[in-house]
Amino acid sequence: MSKIYLIENDGYDFKWLGLEIHNIIDLIPEEYSLKQIHQFSLHNLSLGEYWKDVSTTFKPNFDRIGDPIPDISLWLGYASLVLSEKAFDALNDLFKDFGEFLPIDCNGNTFHIFNCRVLAAADESKSKQVIFNGEVVGIEKIVFDESETAGKLIFKSKYNSCVDLFCGDEFKNAVEKHALKGVVFSSDLAPSFE
């Protein structure tokens, strides 16, 4: 059985991709509502067909100048990763069947957003959501049954509105093997409410 990890950004010592969802709204056809586009991860939308000539830059945290650009990082609050050319070359064959790669030009360098399209259901009898005014606002605990995660290198879950990415040992080991900087792997799958 593979251990399950929550993928998190490695603190604030790296720049972050300055692409916001409102920068790409015009690329998506009107058949999708603004809510669906803003929650594309939850609705499991494929964006590749509409993704054309997207460019942006990396932004520093707290206006610091010397922060490096990460090899791999999370994109905003979505179940998506940002991959440098180094990370893309190292990982794309490994997890290409689990989502789509969306190219971005960043000052002449190609990066890729990996839009995860694979879901795993949480074991609701062992998991606990945080509810406020009838809405799920987070999770206190999330547990996955091995039958749900088997064969899934990287995945998201509707139990927490698809805002996080989870993985097993195979993905973690690949990131570590290639010395990719920018993310960490937590065995605490719901740290924000503890």
Side-chain angles (χ1 to χ4, degrees):
M1 175 177 166
S2 178
K3 186 170 175 62
I4 302 299
Y5 301 94
L6 170 68
I7 303 172
E8 297 181 293
N9 280 325
D10 188 7
Y12 297 101
D13 293 334
F14 294 94
K15 292 181 179 177
W16 54 277
L17 188 72
L19 184 69
E20 304 278 348
I21 198 71
H22 67 267
N23 298 129
I24 62 167
I25 284 178
D26 291 341
L27 298 175
I28 314 298
E30 291 181 11
E31 67 190 73
Y32 297 113
S33 70
L34 283 177
K35 183 176 182 179
Q36 285 175 307
I37 295 169
H38 278 274
Q39 297 176 337
F40 74 89
S41 191
L42 176 62
H43 294 284
N44 213 19
L45 298 183
S46 172
L47 303 177
E49 170 181 357
Y50 318 111
W51 198 266
K52 305 278 188 268
D53 302 321
V54 177
S55 62
T56 190
T57 59
F58 277 83
K59 309 267 185 188
N61 283 302
F62 313 113
D63 296 323
R64 293 188 311 220
I65 297 188
D67 290 346
I69 293 173
D71 298 314
I72 183 170
S73 60
L74 293 166
W75 182 41
L76 300 175
Y78 308 106
S80 302
L81 294 172
V82 180
L83 306 170
S84 67
E85 287 185 73
K86 175 185 175 183
F88 179 76
D89 290 344
L91 301 175
N92 80 79
D93 283 340
L94 186 63
F95 67 110
K96 64 184 176 191
D97 296 332
F98 299 92
E100 60 186 352
F101 295 101
L102 309 169
I104 311 162
D105 176 75
C106 294
N107 297 326
N109 295 308
T110 301
F111 284 75
H112 289 85
I113 290 176
F114 172 74
N115 178 23
C116 182
R117 306 278 326 282
V118 174
L119 294 161
D123 181 341
E124 294 190 27
S125 69
K126 297 177 181 173
S127 301
K128 184 175 181 186
Q129 294 173 317
V130 177
I131 310 290
F132 181 74
N133 288 339
E135 297 282 325
V136 176
V137 295
I139 54 172
E140 191 172 305
K141 182 177 183 182
I142 188 166
V143 176
F144 296 99
D145 187 276
E146 186 176 1
S147 65
E148 268 299 309
T149 61
K152 296 177 180 174
L153 186 80
I154 189 167
F155 59 91
K156 59 189 178 180
S157 180
K158 288 196 174 187
Y159 192 78
N160 75 334
S161 303
C162 297
V163 297
D164 291 314
L165 278 174
F166 303 94
C167 69
D169 288 316
E170 187 178 2
F171 182 76
K172 176 182 180 285
N173 293 341
V175 168
E176 291 171 352
K177 173 186 170 188
H178 295 285
L180 301 175
K181 304 295 183 203
V183 294
V184 293
F185 301 91
S186 175
S187 55
D188 183 355
L189 304 184
S192 55
F193 285 95
E194 293 190 4

